[in-house]
Amino acid sequence: MNRFQFVADHRDAFGVKRLCTVLNLSRSGFCRWLKTAPARAAKKAADAALTRRIRKIHSESGKTYGAKRITAELREGGAMVNGKRVERLMRQHGPGIPHAPFHRHYADLIDTRFRPRIPAVRAETHTDRSKRDETKEENLRRLRQENTDLRRTLALYEEAIRQLALENHALCSGATVVPLPARIRASSPSRP
């Protein structure tokens, strides 16, 4: 039960202030709830009328129309209605109006048309094995080359970091910085 409704039902016997204090409600919230009661009743009546129209359109379509088609039919009939509202009403009044009936009535169609087809595994031949071995060797060669390139790059970065550390130490201590470009070239590995 709604707490505001409880206060409205028992306010003559106990008073609004006492009931709101006991139920941890604000009196202003209760007053706002009372003022909006006619609007809520009108909305409930409008939802009931719209639900009847949704049921009628759904049954006339042979129970195949979903929320989008029903919304389109309602708009053609002159109703200003949002698709989300139609979906909500269809969900709330569920058993009479299934939300998405397609998969219930046409399960075999979905199975035959939309399930992925997995090809059968065929026997592996000698040529397939040799191609696979060649591919494997090519991949290994490429990975070894990449590994070598990465080691060269890493060596260059290590030397640059060492040089920066020496320069930083020299600057902090007030000494003169002497660049060592020849040392970087000499320590980097040569290309094959």
Side-chain angles (χ1 to χ4, degrees):
M1 175 183 231
N2 188 348
R3 292 186 294 171
F4 289 132
Q5 185 64 49
F6 182 82
V7 173
D9 292 344
H10 297 91
R11 67 182 167 178
D12 294 333
F14 300 104
V16 173
K17 182 177 181 181
R18 180 179 290 164
L19 286 170
C20 286
T21 304
V22 169
L23 294 174
N24 197 20
L25 299 172
S26 66
R27 282 186 286 170
S28 62
F30 174 70
C31 291
R32 186 173 50 247
W33 180 81
L34 280 178
K35 284 182 184 176
T36 58
R40 281 194 312 276
K43 184 179 177 188
K44 198 172 189 179
D47 280 351
L50 186 60
T51 302
R52 285 192 296 275
R53 289 178 70 185
I54 289 172
R55 284 183 191 277
K56 182 180 176 197
I57 293 171
H58 185 69
S59 64
E60 287 174 355
S61 72
K63 298 186 178 183
T64 58
Y65 278 13
K68 289 183 180 181
R69 287 185 178 176
I70 289 175
T71 304
E73 287 284 326
L74 288 169
R75 286 180 181 164
E76 280 182 18
M80 295 294 292
V81 66
N82 188 345
K84 291 183 180 182
R85 183 177 179 199
V86 172
E87 287 177 13
R88 177 179 55 84
L89 291 174
M90 289 177 75
R91 269 194 312 272
Q92 285 176 350
H93 304 285
I97 312 171
H99 181 59
F102 183 79
H103 66 88
R104 294 183 189 123
H105 298 294
Y106 302 105
D108 58 343
L109 179 65
I110 290 175
D111 285 340
T112 57
R113 302 270 176 138
F114 301 109
R115 296 276 185 229
R117 290 182 177 80
I118 301 171
V121 179
R122 61 183 183 92
E124 189 176 14
T125 62
H126 179 68
T127 56
D128 290 339
R129 236 180 272 127
S130 63
K131 285 180 184 177
R132 190 179 62 205
D133 290 342
E134 288 173 10
T135 307
K136 187 189 292 184
E137 288 299 321
E138 177 62 27
N139 286 340
L140 281 173
R141 189 200 60 72
R142 186 178 47 80
L143 286 173
R144 285 185 186 121
Q145 181 62 40
E146 288 176 5
N147 192 8
T148 305
D149 294 343
L150 286 173
R151 285 185 181 173
R152 287 182 186 136
T153 305
L154 184 60
L156 290 173
Y157 280 124
E158 285 175 352
E159 188 59 34
I161 290 170
R162 278 192 209 105
Q163 181 66 31
L164 286 173
L166 288 172
E167 290 175 6
N168 187 27
H169 179 69
L171 287 173
C172 289
S173 63
T176 355
V177 178
V178 178
L180 301 172
R183 183 174 171 197
I184 292 174
R185 281 191 217 110
S187 66
S188 65
S190 60
R191 289 202 171 252

